[in-house]
Amino acid sequence: MDTAFLNMSLETLEGWLRETDETRLETLWTAADETRRAYVGDEVHLRGLIEISNRCARNCAYCGLRADNKQIERYRMEKHEIMDCAHQAKGFGYGTVVLQAGEDFGITRAWMTDLIQTIKAETGLAVTLSLGERDDDDLTAWREAGADRYLLRFETSNKELYARIHPPAKGKTVSDRPAILRRLQALGYEAGSGVMIGIPGQTYASVAQDIDLFRALDLDMLGVGPYIAHPHTPLGEDKMPAAPANEQVPNTELMTYKVVALTRLVCPEANLPSTTALATLNLANGRELGLLRGANILMPNMTPPQYRVLYEIYPAKACIQETARDCHACMGARIRSIGRTPGTGHGGRKHRVPTGESLFLH
Ligand code: SAH
């Protein structure tokens, strides 16, 4: 076999997205798993997720944190609370903390700079930020303070759908997330992105384009999860049109696995999480199936319980009642149950040629 998977055309990608034959799908899962093993190995890196604020200035049509949702109580964690989580992550042996929030401008450049410097000085962990569309001066300052990575999903590569679900910030035009991702790369961040699967109005052809854009941007991290309707959002209230039935991508577990597997094949070196949204659709073994079909990362939730329940981007999120310690034990057991090992070190992107025998990529 040659690099056929790596260079899959849009037509081939769409064909796989529409594939229903179980035997054929088995070949896709096997190819993704082989490629994962050859390029990023058997280690599953753990990223301790700390949801530091649910305040948000934006009104994304799908997200429960949107500013116009008055039905949630808002919080922003204190520095000492975040530091307690970071120390706990270090104690658990994680290599990275991910600081995620709504687009909260109460999180100032100076405050975040100090937080990043303190985490780096006291723990030495890799720091990943997921704070939405911040301006260039913020991104520059935080990179200089030592932040290693930044996550910003582009959610869909279809410009019309993107604009429909992402009203611009006050006084601005519709944002260009691929441009922000290129800027993050230029600043020296490892850049991560991703999409939701099954957004009303999202077509098979556009998901094929999404995967093609992952490849074109050469992203270091790629997260994909099913879209889950939130009742207090315009998209969740069915106020936005679906695509015609034979074009609309379903927001299913199976479709998510297909996108994870195809992403691994076209971006073999990237770090790919098996996401919480996937676990929300299949609590019993969604995480494991993601790891067996291309993923190599888990993001155990470390948010303190009193805040965790309030970080409701979508309803009935998995692991909402657990503590960080529960999630730690659970993730370790899931990793071992499929014969993999918890990762050590920062677990950044590996740039390298594949090792070992692969049936699919030589
Ligand atoms: N404010 C940050 C973090 C957002 S939450 C940002 O905008 O980047 C992280 C991710 O959760 C989003 O990128 C989105 O892909 C996902 N998400 C939000 N609402 C969701 C929903 N209803 N269903 C599934 N995923 C959702």
Side-chain angles (χ1 to χ4, degrees):
M1 206 53 199
D2 55 10
T3 52
F5 279 117
L6 202 58
N7 299 317
M8 268 183 284
S9 66
L10 287 173
E11 292 69 30
T12 306
L13 287 166
E14 187 175 338
W16 279 114
L17 295 171
R18 291 180 179 276
E19 184 61 61
T20 55
D21 182 275
E22 283 187 22
T23 313
R24 296 262 305 148
L25 285 173
E26 278 305 324
T27 67
L28 179 63
W29 312 145
T30 304
D33 199 43
E34 291 262 343
T35 304
R36 186 269 311 153
R37 182 173 302 120
Y39 280 84
V40 296
D42 280 337
E43 283 190 316
V44 176
H45 293 287
L46 294 154
R47 321 293 204 200
L49 175 65
I50 315 172
E51 295 152 334
I52 64 174
S53 165
N54 72 349
R55 297 179 183 271
C56 190
R58 302 296 289 276
N59 265 308
C60 301
Y62 46 86
C63 182
L65 305 189
R66 66 202 309 275
D68 286 352
N69 180 11
K70 306 295 183 205
Q71 302 188 53
I72 51 168
E73 187 189 324
R74 303 285 174 165
Y75 72 89
R76 183 182 302 126
M77 287 173 69
E78 304 276 350
K79 177 180 176 183
H80 71 90
E81 295 173 311
I82 300 168
M83 287 311 303
D84 285 349
C85 294
H87 284 291
Q88 194 177 26
K90 175 93 177 168
F92 288 158
Y94 302 165
T96 301
V97 281
V98 180
L99 308 179
Q100 189 178 86
E103 217 164 286
D104 176 8
F105 293 94
I107 295 176
T108 63
R109 184 182 311 158
W111 183 86
M112 184 50 76
T113 298
D114 170 65
L115 177 65
I116 294 163
Q117 286 168 339
T118 310
I119 294 174
K120 295 303 272 188
E122 292 188 11
T123 70
L125 293 173
V127 173
T128 302
L129 304 178
S130 174
L131 304 172
E133 298 167 15
R134 301 291 301 226
D135 71 30
D136 211 77
D137 290 341
D138 291 344
L139 300 176
T140 305
W142 298 339
R143 174 76 190 125
E144 282 169 4
D148 300 276
R149 312 184 187 129
Y150 204 101
L151 300 174
L152 185 70
R153 291 185 177 179
F154 59 74
E155 317 292 2
T156 172
S157 59
N158 181 286
K159 290 218 159 64
E160 199 261 320
L161 178 59
Y162 183 88
R164 206 186 308 156
I165 63 177
H166 293 101
K170 256 207 183 99
K172 301 221 167 129
T173 53
V174 177
S175 57
D176 181 348
R177 289 191 171 190
I180 302 173
L181 289 162
R182 287 197 192 89
R183 182 67 192 139
L184 288 164
Q185 290 172 323
L187 288 171
Y189 284 96
E190 280 194 14
S193 194
V195 297
M196 288 178 291
I197 308 301
I199 307 166
Q202 187 183 43
T203 63
Y204 285 94
S206 86
V207 173
Q209 296 270 8
D210 296 342
I211 299 168
D212 191 47
L213 185 56
F214 294 163
R215 176 168 53 189
L217 289 171
D218 188 24
L219 292 158
D220 304 300
M221 302 168 282
L222 287 159
V224 296
Y227 161 71
I228 299 170
H230 189 300
H232 304 139
T233 61
L235 210 58
E237 287 171 330
D238 279 340
K239 290 204 177 132
M240 296 194 175
N246 61 340
E247 297 299 330
Q248 172 66 49
V249 168
N251 60 340
T252 58
E253 201 188 333
L254 179 62
M255 190 58 62
T256 306
Y257 297 133
K258 289 181 188 174
V259 179
V260 169
L262 292 167
T263 300
R264 170 59 66 203
L265 292 171
V266 303
C267 300
E269 294 177 349
N271 283 319
L272 267 58
S274 185
T275 58
T276 305
L278 193 48
T280 298
L281 294 194
N282 178 355
L283 201 54
N285 63 356
R287 297 264 193 201
E288 289 85 336
L289 286 172
L291 291 174
L292 290 168
R293 294 170 176 180
N296 70 320
I297 300 287
L298 288 178
M299 297 174 69
N301 194 329
M302 306 201 70
T303 312
Q306 71 272 29
Y307 301 128
R308 188 181 289 222
V309 292
L310 301 175
Y311 198 81
E312 202 196 44
I313 49 184
Y314 50 82
K317 211 165 99 187
C319 319
I320 206 82
Q321 301 295 339
E322 334 296 310
T323 64
R325 191 164 292 284
D326 297 332
C327 289
H328 176 57
C330 170
M331 297 288 179
R334 288 179 193 272
I335 292 169
R336 283 183 288 275
S337 79
I338 55 168
R340 306 266 278 275
T341 47
T344 52
H346 282 185
R349 174 174 175 180
K350 289 178 181 152
H351 291 271
R352 64 170 196 203
V353 290
T355 55
E357 276 305 302
S358 168
L359 275 175
F360 298 96
L361 294 155
H362 284 298

